[in-house]
Amino acid sequence: MTIQADQETVIVEAFINGQHVKSLSQLAKENPTNPTEIVGYFPVTTKEQAVEAIEAAAEAFKTWKQTSMDERIIRMRRAIEKIRAAENEIVHLLSREHGKPLYDAHGEIYVALMWMEFGPMSRK
């Protein structure tokens, strides 16, 4: 999906245990600088879905903690590449979602990538 500053409305679904999960309802997220613009909709999940997500994360961690540092670095670098490839779209979405200037949104992505790179890059 391509997201531009004044274009698409994003619909987010819950993602639990590797699967998209439908919610009974969704709440709108408006652009704070333009309250008539709905940036997207996010799910309202149940307590049971929250418990299911926590249990799935705990189960996934059992495998993740056995993953070698080299494999973790490879996966982190892939994530960094994906963020960089979609950086412009993410920046525009952040700007709309938070009502912040594009410059600030770029800074937020820059800092996030810096933190993501700090660990893996310092080890290799």
Side-chain angles (χ1 to χ4, degrees), residues 62-124:
K62 291 176 185 176
T63 302
W64 179 251
K65 71 181 180 181
Q66 301 299 323
T67 304
S68 72
M69 183 58 67
D70 288 340
E71 179 61 24
R72 291 179 189 207
I73 290 169
I74 289 167
R75 291 181 188 192
M76 184 65 75
R77 286 184 176 151
R78 280 190 213 138
I80 290 166
E81 288 172 13
K82 288 181 179 186
I83 291 170
R84 282 214 168 95
E87 186 171 351
N88 193 50
E89 296 168 48
I90 296 169
V91 164
H92 281 91
L93 181 58
L94 275 174
S95 176
R96 292 172 57 217
E97 179 186 15
H98 295 267
K100 61 174 54 181
L102 290 174
Y103 176 83
D104 287 350
H106 272 286
E108 192 171 330
I109 297 301
Y110 175 82
V111 170
L113 289 169
M114 180 186 70
W115 281 107
M116 289 174 75
E117 291 175 325
F118 176 75
M121 300 309 170
S122 66
R123 288 181 173 76
K124 288 287 177 181

